[in-house]
Amino acid sequence: GQNIDQPTEMTATEGAIVQINCTYQTSGFNGLFWYQQHAGEAPTFLSYNVLDGLEEKGRFSSFLSRSKGYSYLLLKELQMKDSASYLCAVRDSNYQLIWGAGTKLIIKP
Amino acid sequence: IAGITQAPTSQILAAGRRMTLRCTQDMRHNAMYWYRQDLGLGLRLIHYSNTAGTTGKGEVPDGYSVSRANTDDFPLTLASAVPSQTSVYFCASSDTGGSGANVLTFGAGSRLTVL
């Protein structure tokens, strides 16, 4: 079956760096997405990786290794507003999105 | 402001009742989707539509139906609600059916409780 694994919850300190990992086993691969979801709100798009390597976008970076079925989302200079759930999703060979359960990130002052 | 509007925001419903969740987008996106989100689980696709006039079944379609009469509207109907359909429902859209980045734009969600 298809599977996306992410840690359920992580805690980090304001101003620090945190890395949220995502491993996947899917039927084919056509891209990996990271979305941010604040409590009670809709998910919003953060990043998209289809080739191996690092994509940097301001304080957020996303890395992909297709051979390892692995991605991470790196958040730098953490702010309190970064407290949210981070959702990893992979598009499979049928172009359907398979979603992980999300990682709840708690930022402490 | 361009985006997706969902209604109602929340609803408590008696089991066995019929319910339609409304979704309207003003971005002229071709593809639209309905997901449900339950605690501890990833978003699960219920139904989707790649273009007006066509619909398809997702991962968990049983008990739900959709229609896509035009580009903007994609209502989700529960013909006879059951408690297991208690969830948060998200409507989403994207500007392609399956190629490219296919970034999803989500509505604010509809929280449905079936008693």
Side-chain angles (χ1 to χ4, degrees):
Chain A
Q2 307 202 87
N3 195 48
I4 309 285
D5 285 319
Q6 316 176 225
T8 301
E9 187 175 296
M10 300 181 69
T11 302
T13 305
E14 188 178 16
I17 299 172
V18 70
Q19 177 175 313
I20 302 174
N21 296 324
C22 171
T23 58
Y24 62 90
Q25 291 177 307
T26 57
S27 302
F29 178 86
N30 282 295
L32 184 143
F33 299 79
W34 285 96
Y35 282 76
Q36 180 189 59
Q37 185 177 25
H38 286 100
E41 298 183 8
T44 56
F45 171 74
L46 284 179
S47 69
Y48 170 67
N49 295 71
V50 65
L51 300 176
D52 291 349
L54 188 69
E55 294 281 343
E56 296 186 80
K57 196 183 291 187
R59 293 188 300 114
F60 292 9
S61 303
S62 57
F63 172 83
L64 174 68
S65 169
R66 289 172 295 171
S67 63
K68 295 182 179 179
Y70 168 70
S71 172
Y72 66 73
L73 181 69
L74 191 71
L75 291 74
K76 304 176 184 177
E77 302 170 12
L78 286 169
Q79 302 175 10
M80 297 304 292
K81 68 178 182 180
D82 298 330
S83 292
S85 289
Y86 291 86
L87 314 181
C88 175
V90 172
R91 192 162 63 205
D92 68 11
S93 56
N94 293 320
Y95 285 86
Q96 296 297 320
L97 279 175
I98 311 301
W99 294 83
T103 299
K104 182 178 181 180
L105 178 63
I106 300 168
I107 309 297
K108 295 185 175 181
Chain B
I1 298 176
I4 297 181
T5 302
Q6 289 186 234
T9 303
S10 66
Q11 182 76 45
I12 299 174
L13 187 66
R17 296 297 296 268
R18 181 183 179 89
M19 177 72 193
T20 295
L21 304 181
R22 300 183 297 278
C23 175
T24 300
Q25 56 112 350
D26 62 2
M27 297 172 285
R28 308 303 293 174
H29 283 172
N30 290 326
M32 297 188 74
Y33 313 84
W34 274 105
Y35 286 93
R36 59 178 291 173
Q37 187 174 43
D38 301 290
L39 196 64
L41 298 177
L43 288 163
R44 291 183 292 170
L45 183 65
I46 304 170
H47 285 286
Y48 65 95
S49 169
N50 286 333
T51 189
T54 68
T55 62
K57 294 181 179 180
E59 179 186 357
V60 287
D62 294 344
Y64 306 94
S65 63
V66 292
S67 62
R68 186 89 184 276
N70 56 60
T71 298
D72 299 342
D73 300 301
F74 192 43
L76 176 74
T77 297
L78 289 68
S80 179
V82 295
S84 62
Q85 292 177 312
T86 294
S87 187
V88 180
Y89 292 85
F90 286 101
C91 180
S93 71
S94 65
D95 63 358
T96 62
S99 60
N102 196 31
V103 172
L104 297 182
T105 299
F106 285 86
S110 295
R111 181 174 296 274
L112 184 66
T113 303
V114 183
L115 301 177

